Amino acid sequence: MRVILLLAVAVAITTAGCGDNCHEGESRCDGSQIMTCDEGDLGGRDWRGLGECCASTTCRDEISGSDRVAVCSDSPDPDPSCPMFGNICADDTTLLYCDYGYSEVVATCDVCVDRGSGNAFCAIAASDAHCPSVADDGWTCDGLTLLECDDGAVIDQTACASACIDRGSGDAFCSASSGLDSRCPAAGSWCENGAAMNCRPDGYVEVHACTGSATCTVASVPGYTNAFCDAPAPPVPSGCYGS
């Protein structure tokens, strides 16, 4: 009888250990860090994953339906201007991210563009005649300046050193020259004078100048190479795991 009871206790302990301490999709605050509910190696869900870190804001535990959720927020209460999720403009230059109705300032913009339905974004100019009107996003040229467009607004611009090539339908890029390059396609991808150089299928060399602390790196897999600008990972903010 004693053996049976001990076995029953052992089974109960084992079963409890393999149970779920949280549900899929749940999150909670651990100081400034958001913990996510993940599957364990031996079964059972627990607070194992690392989500966003609320380094410059406050992590707040909330309830959505029957689930526990954590959000980063600049205020202790939900923002009445926020949808449940998405981005909005707080004013002409401030972009807010809304999460479960709470708001967090995520960027100060040259101009904040709000197209509604939680689809606000930062831009350099709210509209530009050079931006493709038929595509939601893409690139175009203004002389030697490469413009990145989103819904008619300019969200980024790059000064091309040699040439800006516009192939239409939002396909534009900085190039090593105004014509086809004799090094392509054989050269593939390489680094040159701090820039990532890639042969395109159409015979042009697409150039990405590496700025700041980014350096050019070439990655290769069988049958494919790619040059890109690799920036070091930003430091972990104080109060976050790994700091």
Side-chain angles (χ1 to χ4, degrees):
M1 177 67 70
R2 183 179 180 184
V3 172
I4 294 174
L5 287 175
L6 289 174
L7 287 173
V9 170
V11 169
I13 292 174
T14 302
T15 302
C18 292
D20 292 336
N21 291 322
C22 53
H23 302 120
E24 182 178 3
E26 282 193 309
S27 57
R28 69 171 177 84
C29 297
D30 185 2
S32 296
Q33 194 82 44
I34 292 180
M35 305 294 294
T36 58
C37 183
D38 290 349
E39 185 85 26
D41 294 336
L42 301 178
R45 290 188 172 275
D46 209 341
W47 304 106
R48 296 184 176 90
L50 295 181
E52 182 181 357
C53 180
C54 308
S56 59
T57 56
T58 302
C59 190
R60 305 190 184 282
D61 282 307
E62 298 297 323
I63 298 295
S64 177
S66 60
D67 289 338
R68 185 176 179 178
V69 294
V71 297
C72 297
S73 178
D74 290 306
S75 65
D77 302 308
D79 189 329
S81 63
C82 266
M84 192 67 167
F85 305 104
N87 292 338
I88 63 170
C89 295
D91 52 44
D92 291 340
T93 59
T94 307
L95 181 67
L96 296 182
Y97 171 63
C98 297
D99 194 9
Y100 292 98
Y102 284 80
S103 65
E104 175 188 4
V105 176
V106 291
T108 299
C109 316
D110 291 327
V111 57
C112 190
V113 179
D114 197 339
R115 301 301 196 213
S117 302
N119 294 319
F121 55 91
C122 283
I124 297 172
S127 63
D128 191 285
H130 293 89
C131 282
S133 59
V134 295
D136 290 335
D137 57 80
W139 289 261
T140 189
C141 295
D142 179 8
L144 282 177
T145 302
L146 178 67
L147 303 179
E148 183 178 358
C149 304
D150 187 351
D151 198 19
V154 179
I155 60 174
D156 198 10
Q157 59 185 14
T158 302
C160 300
S162 300
C164 187
I165 306 297
D166 195 339
R167 305 290 282 168
S169 300
D171 179 21
F173 53 93
C174 290
S175 181
S177 65
S178 59
L180 303 183
D181 198 296
S182 60
R183 294 171 291 184
C184 297
S189 302
W190 68 98
C191 296
E192 184 178 304
N193 299 325
M197 318 284 283
N198 289 286
C199 284
R200 288 169 47 105
D202 55 12
Y204 288 93
V205 172
E206 185 167 348
V207 179
H208 291 274
C210 300
T211 59
S213 57
T215 57
C216 180
T217 300
V218 178
S220 298
V221 296
Y224 177 76
T225 61
N226 182 52
F228 58 95
C229 298
D230 188 21
V236 179
S238 176
C240 304
Y241 292 126
S243 61

